[in-house]
Amino acid sequence: MNPPRLAKIIAVSIIAVLIVTFAKTSTRGFSPHTGEMIIKGAGATFPYPLYLKWIREYERIRPVRIDYQSVGSGGGIRLLMSGSVDFAGSDAPLNDEEMSKILEAGRGVVHVPTVAGAVVIVFNLPGARELNLTPDTIAKIFLGKIKYWDNPSITKYNDINLPHEEIRTVHRVDGSGTTYIFTYYLSKISDEWRTKIGYGKEVDWPTGLGGKGNEGVSQLIQQIPYSIGYTEYTYAITAGLSMASVMNRAGIFITPSVESISKAAVGYLEELKEDIRSAIVNSPEEDAYPISSYTYIITYQDWSQDPEKGKALAEFLWWATHDGQMFAPDLGYAPLHPEVVKIVESIISEMKANGSPLLGGARQ
Amino acid sequence: MSLGERLFRALTEASSYIILFLVIAIGYSLLLDSLPVFTKFGIWFLFSSEWDPVRQIFGALPAVIGTLETSVLALVMATPVAVGAALFVHEISPAPIMRLFSPIIDALASIPSVIYGLWGLFFLMPLLKEWVMRPLNEALGFIPLFSGSPQGPSILLASVILAIMILPTIASLTLEALKMVPRELVEGALALGATRWEAVRITILPHASESIKASMMLALARALGETMAVTMVIGNTYKLPVSLLEPGVTITSIIANSYTEATSELHISALLALGFILLLISVVVNVISRRLLGRVGHE
């Protein structure tokens, strides 16, 4: 290689380094300018089918365009913080670290629960479609402590003949709100789980296989006899998987259903009034399914920089949590409990611009 | 030089520098983004096998080992079959089969990797589990490499899928190399009384061996980066792979699985650091394969 070429290669390398460095410091908060009112959102995949339905219905009655990209809860929160979207969809509320980060913008933050969902225990037991499980048993299975299907703590609550076969556990390997809710529940009901594993969108599983997405878990479960795992309720329904009934805090085995999920909030109304971020898992309510939770739309409270957009977004949120709720059950989501809707109303009323609320006067 | 000539030269030269620019830009930005994880864990990031997003502890070892293990194993399985097939087609089979061979190889190469993944999961996994993994485990379970309790998704299954995917690369490049061996050499050997096998061994294989090695390197590079099919069949368990029959992870599978929900800076940084490591591995493999191909050219 002769010297001039080497010089060029070095020059190109330096240019590459400079451009990357420049790009990394200069790509914050870019937003294209358009005349039309477009509200952009991104986040959780779990409520995506419902949000799509809402957006389609809403755009029919109001002159506004709403985009929602299902990039995952974490991605949505990142995009909200970088200013790329106007709201984020998330299956988990912001944690304290994320809260303090987003409050740095000085615009406050609101969490609006939009609909309730649940995580269900799905299984592949040849010959059995039903299964009763206690919270403690579930935790021990996923900790790898209960290894065989004929373990007394399973047979005690099930009249079927359970074989001496190894339990194959399957979990989500990709970060997901589903895993967050499931591990949050396990942390609540099992001290051992809380201290050893903890909860999060992705955790260090002590045992079992990993599948990507609800479909990955479901494929593995269908392929491997004597396996057990967890998916979203809506997914399990559409895929026709066998779901276990889980013993709730009142000591009753509850089959997951839109009604039993919707009930979960009832035991927690005081907590929800205090902080809407508080979870509704392990509800003390008698007919509530215990592994239930809300999915949220997270956005800024102060819209002084663009009052018009803020107003449009607040109106959409109001519509979604009221009229929009009727579309939920058909798609497998549990509507907000009426008492919770009241709390949501006060949250949306807190959204403001230049000191005055975005939604003036009495609504509907 | 005429203007057209100069323009042509400038354009082609610029294009070559664009490629160089891209490689350096990608590598450098990956390095920048992986700094947080390297400053936090230092070199231990490479040697730790813990991956706990809750406690924010990250180590790359199981993914790096899983990647190398599946790729090398795939290469070991695919090479004899691919070279054997190419030899048969070129040396022994009648002409019609030779004409069919290339289209079939091309078809195998053009199947999207998600299809390989699905096929692996629904067709190959039950077969392999029943007829290979169980017997291996029962007969040789005392050796750590075949220990554990086979459930299907595993390092072995991922390697077999990878082997099938890289087969076309090795086979078609080997076939091209065989065609370049001077006919006189082979005929000379045969005229001197060598058998088919002897002729292959003393004339063809030495002549084509560098090309075959280079094709293996290209295939290895493909196997290292393969994501979709591997993610679907490897079982995604983050621990050091001891047994071939147990699930594992690769660098690309953990990136594909985790990036959407990685919110903390450290977590994203760990994923990008894995990407940087993979880039380094690929560069090394490619440099070796260039060297080998270069030697072929100079002969």
Side-chain angles (χ1 to χ4, degrees), chain A residues 4-5 8-9 12-13 15-21 24 44 71-75 77-78 97-98 101 166 168-169 171 173-177 194-204 208-212 219-220 222-225, chain B residues 9 13 17-18 20-22 24-26 28-29 32-33 50-55 118 121-123 125-126 129 134 149-153 228 231-232 234-238 247 249 254 256-265 267-268:
Chain A
R5 280 218 199 120
K8 273 185 191 165
I9 288 178
V12 167
S13 313
I15 293 171
V17 166
L18 287 179
I19 289 184
V20 168
T21 313
K24 287 211 140 317
V71 297
S73 302
I77 291 167
R78 274 207 299 278
E97 189 194 329
E98 292 164 331
K101 212 165 162 189
E166 210 173 314
R168 315 285 199 181
T169 63
H171 55 257
V173 68
D174 51 325
S176 73
R194 191 174 57 248
T195 49
K196 268 195 183 162
I197 314 293
Y199 61 91
K201 289 170 183 166
E202 200 187 324
V203 302
D204 190 10
L209 290 170
K212 181 167 159 53
Q219 278 163 4
L220 286 173
Q222 284 165 338
Q223 283 291 299
I224 302 173
Chain B
R9 204 201 134 104
E13 193 175 358
Y17 286 122
I18 287 176
L20 178 68
F21 166 79
L22 286 175
I24 292 172
I26 291 172
Y28 182 63
S29 63
L32 267 191
D33 283 320
E50 201 168 345
W51 189 273
D52 188 342
V54 178
R55 291 175 182 82
L118 268 186
L121 199 59
F122 286 101
F123 178 78
M125 185 177 91
K129 186 168 137 191
R134 276 240 177 96
S149 68
Q151 357 189 2
M228 195 62 206
T231 307
M232 290 166 82
I234 200 166
N236 301 304
T237 302
Y238 207 87
V249 283
I254 190 156
N257 280 326
S258 297
Y259 78 97
T260 48
E261 293 290 341
T263 29
S264 82
E265 196 199 2
H267 195 175
I268 297 171

Side-chain angles (χ1 to χ4, degrees), chain B residues 72-94:
Chain B
V72 170
L73 208 59
L75 198 61
V76 169
M77 289 189 272
T79 306
V81 179
V83 173
L87 275 176
F88 173 78
V89 166
H90 189 256
E91 291 302 315
I92 300 168
S93 76

Side-chain angles (χ1 to χ4, degrees), chain A residues 177-243:
Chain A
T178 313
T179 298
Y180 178 88
I181 294 156
F182 186 56
T183 53
Y184 188 88
Y185 170 74
L186 292 176
S187 297
K188 265 232 153 134
I189 51 98
S190 158
D191 287 335
E192 190 178 358
W193 187 277
R194 191 174 57 248
T195 49
K196 268 195 183 162
I197 314 293
Y199 61 91
K201 289 170 183 166
E202 200 187 324
V203 302
D204 190 10
W205 292 93
T207 179
L209 290 170
K212 181 167 159 53
N214 283 301
E215 60 284 355
V217 169
S218 143
Q219 278 163 4
L220 286 173
I221 292 204
Q222 284 165 338
Q223 283 291 299
I224 302 173
Y226 306 107
S227 58
I228 189 166
Y230 62 94
T231 67
E232 280 156 9
Y233 170 70
T234 43
Y235 188 85
I237 289 285
T238 42
L241 302 170
S242 307
M243 297 181 277

Side-chain angles (χ1 to χ4, degrees), chain B residues 65-115:
Chain B
I65 300 279
T67 299
L68 294 175
E69 191 175 1
T70 47
S71 301
V72 170
L73 208 59
L75 198 61
V76 169
M77 289 189 272
T79 306
V81 179
V83 173
L87 275 176
F88 173 78
V89 166
H90 189 256
E91 291 302 315
I92 300 168
S93 76
I97 290 189
M98 186 167 172
R99 274 197 296 278
L100 264 178
F101 187 69
S102 290
I104 290 175
I105 284 288
D106 289 345
L108 202 58
S110 64
I111 298 173
S113 79
V114 64
I115 309 280

